[in-house]
Amino acid sequence: GNDFTINQRAITVTADSKSKTYGASDPALTYSVTTGSLVGSDAFTGAITRTAGEDVGTYAINQGTLALSSNYNLSYVSANLTINAKAITISADAKSKTYGDADPALTY
């Protein structure tokens, strides 16, 4: 007799790009299956993660612990989380003085 071989099923997962404003909580990190599909009740385990950091900039969204059983050949396509600068507005306090007096302290 000949052997019957069952090969791994190929599946590709692509992270969704995300953004937030400096100081805000991270958005939920999500992904989608972009090639292939799961069989029956098979499911992913684990979660994707991002490179640590809270300053304005771009941070990679990584595979983290996202996995499938050994029945699959999982490929992962990364994306980025972008932290944008937080807009801030300040308003100067109105001041006055009498002619000849020293300037008052300027405040906001």
Side-chain angles (χ1 to χ4, degrees):
N2 291 325
D3 290 334
F4 182 72
T5 303
I6 299 176
N7 296 315
Q8 289 180 311
R9 185 177 187 93
I11 193 164
T12 302
V13 170
T14 301
D16 300 320
S17 295
K18 298 290 181 171
S19 65
K20 73 174 192 171
T21 301
Y22 174 76
S25 297
D26 278 4
L29 299 179
T30 57
Y31 59 87
S32 57
V33 175
T34 51
T35 303
S37 61
L38 296 175
V39 174
S41 62
D42 289 349
F44 291 95
T45 59
I48 57 177
T49 58
R50 74 168 181 96
T51 302
E54 292 300 324
D55 291 331
V56 171
T58 302
Y59 299 86
I61 300 173
N62 303 307
Q63 185 173 344
T65 59
L66 187 69
L68 286 168
S69 74
S70 61
N71 292 324
Y72 294 89
N73 179 10
L74 176 61
S75 297
Y76 178 79
V77 179
S78 183
N80 291 317
L81 168 78
T82 302
I83 300 177
N84 299 305
K86 182 174 184 162
I88 188 165
T89 302
I90 59 170
S91 299
D93 297 328
K95 299 289 180 170
S96 64
K97 71 174 191 174
T98 303
Y99 176 75
D101 288 350
D103 288 347
L106 301 178
T107 59
Y108 59 92

